[in-house]
Every structure is written in C-alpha cells, then in structure tokens.
Amino acid sequence: MTQEAEDIQKEQEVLSYNVLTPRQQKQRLTELATVFFRLGTIAFGGPAAHIAMMDNEVVNRRQWMSREKLLDLLGITNLIPGPNSTELAIHIGYERAGWRGLLVAGSCFILPAMLIVWALAAIYARYQTVPQVEWLLYGIKPVIIAIVIQAVWNLGKKAAKDVPTIIAGMAAMSTTGFANAAYLAGLNEILVLILLGIAVMLLKNWQARGHTSGAFLLPISGILAQVGSTTAAVTSVSWASVFVFFLKIGCVLYGSGYVLLAFLQRDLVERNQWLTSQQLLDAVAIGQFTPGPVFTTATFIGYLLAGNAGAIAATIGIFLPAFLLVWVVNPWVPKLRQSSWASGFLDGVNAASLGLMAGVTYTLGRAALVDWLTIIVAIVSAIAVFKFKINSAWLVLVGGAIGFVSHILLG
C-alpha cells in the first residue's frame, strides 16, 4: 500500500466515527483522555513543545492521522484566536471522536495544569511568594529543545513541498524576532501568516494557470485582535466579572505569553487596578514554569481575585472560545483542500507556521542551553528522539531528574 493510500485510509477511519459501536466510541474517548491528560501533565516548554509532543503521539506512535492532516489543523489554529496548542488538542479530539472527543481531549489537556496552578495560587495567596523550581526547568528545557527540533524537522519535511512554501517558511522564520519584540506580537504573527499564505496561493495558481471555482473565506484576524481594547472597566471583582473578563481575552487574544502579559498589564493593573505589577509577573511566571497551556495563568489570577470560584470562572472563560471556535471551524478544513486557491493558501500558512515555530525554537534554545551540562543533555536527547524514537514523556522525566541532581550536587 502506498503512503497516499495509507493516508486516505486513515482519513476514512476518522470520518467513520459516527458508525462505530458504542464500545468502540467509548474506547476512543478513553484513549483521548489518557493521552491528553498525560501530555497535560508533562508538557513543559510552551506551545512549540506541546505541538511536538502531540505530533509524536498522534502521528508517529498511534497513527491517528497523517502528518499532512496535522499540519492543516495546525495552520487553522494559527488563524483563530486562543491558545494554539490547546486548540490543536481540541481539533485532534474532534477528528478522532466527534464533539465528545473535542470536549475530552481539550479538557484533559487543560485539567492537570489548572489543578497545579490552582494549588500554587493557594500557596501564593497565603505566603505571597512563588515556589522556586528553577532547578527543575534547568534539566527539562534542554530536553524540550530536542523534542521541538524533531517536530520542526518532521513537520517541515511535509510543509516544505516546493520552492514557494520553502521561501514562505524562511520568510516567516526571519520575522520571529521582530514579532516577539512588538507590543501586539500576536497581530504581527497573524499578518505574517496571512500575507505569506496569500503569496503562496497566488504564486501556485499563477504557475498552474488553471481554472478553479469555489469560495475562499479569509479570517479577519486583525479586526478581532483590535477589539480587545474596548472593554469597559469592572467596578467590583466577583467570579462573574472574572469570567466575563477572561472570556473577552479568550475571544481576541492571539500569539504568545508576551501578548497575554500586555493585555493583562493594561486591563488588570493599569485600568481596573485589580492586581499589582508584581502579582501579575508572579502569575505569568507560574504559567510559564508549570506544564500544559500557558493560558492557565488565568487560573492563578482568578484565584487571587475571587477565590476558588474565580479560579474556575477564569479558566472556563479563557478556554471556552477555543472549544467553540474549533467546533465551528473544523468541518471546513477538508473543504479548504478541495479548492486550489484555498489549498495554496493553507500550504503557505502551514509553511509560515513552521517557520515561526523554528524561530521560536532558536529563541528557546538560547535561553535553555546555558552551560556544558545543558548542551550535553540537549545533544543526548536529540539522539534519543531521532535515532531511538524514545517517548518524549520519559525524556522530560529524566531531564527533571538531572536538574534535581545537579541542584543537590552543585547547590
């Protein structure tokens, strides 16, 4: 059987979910819950690392879908607001087990991080300090770099289909440093994806000189991103106010933790004066060094503002739009491939997404590889994932153990 035939068969298996027996449906939901709860527990390193781990689990180990399909889903997540890696998990759940899979995969990926951050928020509220776990990240970060490089390599081989997509990826990579430095970095990244997608679409169809029919809808990302600054100040902090605030954030926020910090600083500290700048920085730090989605920073802030109810309200508020958007957008992904114009645009977005991911990997590497030990850990981890295909979960645990031992010995 050819690779193309295998890919078609995998897609047909996904589409046949509705005709599965109840027992088979339950088995798929159980598998989704197991995989994404585990990923949510050990997925340190931010969205790029999360995507790398999902690629390894879903494509390499379990063969739930083709790498091309995963790339298409990743490209779509980059064009809608919300946390990209969480939305990719939700997409995978929807592809695998319908709307129930959507809820199970997304919830299980978010839940571990939410519970960890919730507990840390309770400690912080009592002692007003952030637990020191730099030693843990010291060993884990180099491992994450190796895992991400493997994902960029595997996904890049599929995304870089021809000269236009290779150029688009390189162009996107060159913009990463500028985008992260900008105040609205997420908006810049979205514009990069859209412009490069349009460029590849036009070039491919100009080369083909074919006649194509069909509608092509371009998401109006910039307009949504600009809406975020119009929210009125809330006069009192209740769990309902916390929910509404983070629901707005979830609806309009693109990009990285830098963008989240900018939104929260403006609204929580300067406008509403719900938090101090130091409390906000501590909240973002908690979101960065815990596993799973960085957006669980909302759980921490919600607890500080309105206790346990606030933690729940903030988490639901910031993630709810991601579930709804994926539910609406996912059925359109196969239809995009049926149009040469939309397919060309998606190819451009996929290549640009991988370019941005490669740029982020370089930035992460500079922060993670700080001495000879971290460099050795990264090299050994790269050999482990490329040559021996060792599960990334074990590597993360070993990295944490190395960090712990080095902390004891070097003190």
Side-chain angles (χ1 to χ4, degrees):
M1 182 181 291
T2 65
Q3 181 63 44
E4 182 178 359
E6 289 178 354
D7 292 343
I8 293 174
Q9 181 179 358
K10 290 174 188 175
E11 300 297 336
Q12 290 174 341
E13 289 174 356
V14 170
L15 294 174
S16 64
Y17 171 74
N18 291 329
V19 298
L20 295 176
T21 66
R23 182 177 179 180
Q24 291 171 320
Q25 293 175 354
K26 182 178 180 180
Q27 181 180 359
R28 287 198 177 189
L29 292 173
T30 302
E31 289 174 344
L32 285 170
T34 302
V35 167
F36 283 101
F37 188 86
R38 179 165 55 83
L39 286 179
T41 303
I42 56 96
F44 292 87
H50 305 166
I51 293 167
M53 292 181 180
M54 291 180 201
D55 170 70
N56 183 51
E57 282 285 346
V58 173
V59 178
N60 291 341
R61 298 189 65 226
R62 300 178 183 274
Q63 299 181 339
W64 284 350
M65 62 180 62
S66 65
R67 184 158 279 119
E68 290 85 349
K69 180 67 173 182
L70 187 71
L71 267 173
D72 285 347
L73 297 177
L74 178 59
I76 291 296
T77 63
N78 279 289
L79 293 175
I80 59 177
N84 291 348
S85 58
T86 304
E87 287 173 341
L88 184 59
I90 297 170
H91 270 296
I92 294 169
Y94 189 85
E95 291 284 333
R96 185 69 179 161
W99 68 267
R100 294 180 180 86
L102 174 149
L103 294 174
V104 168
S107 299
C108 288
F109 184 64
I110 295 167
L111 185 61
M114 175 192 174
L115 295 177
I116 294 171
V117 172
W118 194 346
L120 292 175
I123 296 172
Y124 180 87
R126 182 169 183 176
Y127 298 106
Q128 291 299 305
T129 184
V130 179
Q132 300 298 311
V133 293
E134 287 85 357
W135 55 267
L136 181 66
L137 295 185
Y138 172 82
I140 289 177
K141 283 181 178 179
V143 174
I144 294 300
I145 297 303
I147 295 170
V148 174
I149 289 174
Q150 183 203 33
V152 171
W153 174 257
N154 290 336
L155 294 170
K157 289 189 294 184
K158 297 295 183 180
K161 298 179 177 180
D162 43 36
V163 173
T165 51
I166 292 174
I167 294 175
M170 294 177 65
M173 192 187 310
S174 68
T175 66
T176 306
F178 169 76
N180 282 338
Y183 181 69
L184 282 178
L187 177 57
N188 287 334
E189 291 170 1
I190 294 301
L191 288 177
V192 167
L193 293 174
I194 291 176
L195 291 175
L196 290 175
I198 291 174
V200 172
M201 174 188 71
L202 295 175
L203 184 56
K204 282 194 169 189
N205 281 275
W206 177 77
Q207 291 175 335
R209 295 181 182 275
H211 299 283
T212 308
S213 61
F216 178 70
L217 178 64
L218 188 66
I220 312 176
S221 306
I223 294 176
L224 285 175
Q226 293 172 8
V227 173
S229 61
T230 62
T231 302
V234 181
T235 56
S236 61
V237 184
S238 64
W239 70 264
S241 300
V242 170
F243 172 78
V244 171
F245 173 79
F246 281 103
L247 181 67
K248 182 266 296 188
I249 294 291
C251 285
V252 301
L253 185 62
Y254 289 90
S256 65
Y258 296 103
V259 192
L260 179 63
L261 178 59
F263 267 74
L264 297 179
Q265 171 70 24
R266 187 176 63 233
D267 287 348
L268 289 178
V269 178
E270 297 173 6
R271 179 176 299 162
N272 295 332
Q273 297 182 346
W274 287 354
L275 296 178
T276 65
S277 293
Q278 184 59 51
Q279 286 175 320
L280 178 58
L281 289 173
D282 289 343
V284 173
I286 289 287
Q288 293 285 346
F289 73 63
T290 51
V294 176
F295 276 32
T296 49
T297 296
T299 307
F300 188 93
I301 295 173
Y303 184 89
L304 296 185
L305 295 177
N308 293 325
I312 296 171
T315 307
I316 294 175
I318 201 168
F319 286 107
L320 181 59
F323 285 89
L324 297 177
L325 285 168
V326 169
W327 178 64
V328 171
V329 169
N330 184 275
W332 291 92
V333 177
K335 295 180 175 62
L336 293 176
R337 281 296 176 193
Q338 296 172 6
S339 163
S340 64
W341 291 92
S343 182
F345 176 77
L346 197 54
D347 283 343
V349 170
N350 288 346
S353 298
L354 265 294
L356 292 175
M357 190 170 170
V360 169
T361 304
Y362 173 74
T363 303
L364 292 174
R366 292 180 61 184
L369 307 181
V370 295
D371 53 28
W372 64 268
L373 180 57
T374 52
I375 293 173
I376 291 175
V377 171
I379 293 173
V380 173
S381 299
I383 295 172
V385 295
F386 276 96
K387 183 174 179 61
F388 299 104
K389 312 297 181 185
I390 295 178
N391 192 324
S392 58
W394 292 110
L395 292 176
V396 170
L397 293 176
V398 171
I402 291 174
F404 177 71
V405 173
S406 67
H407 174 69
I408 294 176
L409 297 179
L410 303 178

